[in-house]
Amino acid sequence: MLKASPNFHQGINFIQISSLPYEQQELFAMWVPTSIMMKMEINDISLPDCVEYQDYAYWFDFQYQNQNSLLESSI
């Protein structure tokens, strides 16, 4: 599965968890501490489930892909 692209607003690269593919939403939401989640307000639209893109990218590169690589090599 592909890594999502970041959104950019007011100098912050971020990802909205609910915009990720379903499998990533579930796994990332279980992994990420709620203390680093942030609420973004863009054009009067509230995005309550955002994290900095660097946190998502770390998870994707070192947790998600490694887990999938292990599963694929065991098949």
Side-chain angles (χ1 to χ4, degrees), residues 1-7 14-26 28 47-51 53 56:
M1 187 157 302
L2 297 175
K3 185 190 296 186
S5 298
N7 297 302
F14 71 95
I15 192 81
Q16 184 181 15
I17 296 173
S18 60
S19 71
L20 296 171
Y22 184 73
E23 179 185 2
Q24 287 186 33
Q25 283 180 40
E26 287 198 335
F28 184 64
L47 307 174
D49 60 338
C50 298
V51 295
Y53 187 76
Y56 165 76

Side-chain angles (χ1 to χ4, degrees), residues 22-69:
Y22 184 73
E23 179 185 2
Q24 287 186 33
Q25 283 180 40
E26 287 198 335
L27 295 172
F28 184 64
M30 289 189 296
W31 180 84
V32 71
T34 55
S35 61
I36 67 167
M37 293 182 74
M38 57 189 166
K39 181 179 179 181
M40 302 290 291
E41 296 281 336
I42 302 172
N43 298 329
D44 295 326
I45 297 172
S46 178
L47 307 174
D49 60 338
C50 298
V51 295
E52 287 193 40
Y53 187 76
Q54 67 186 12
D55 296 318
Y56 165 76
Y58 175 86
W59 170 81
F60 188 91
D61 293 340
F62 297 104
Q63 300 290 320
Y64 182 70
Q65 282 203 319
N66 284 344
Q67 177 184 355
N68 286 340
S69 294

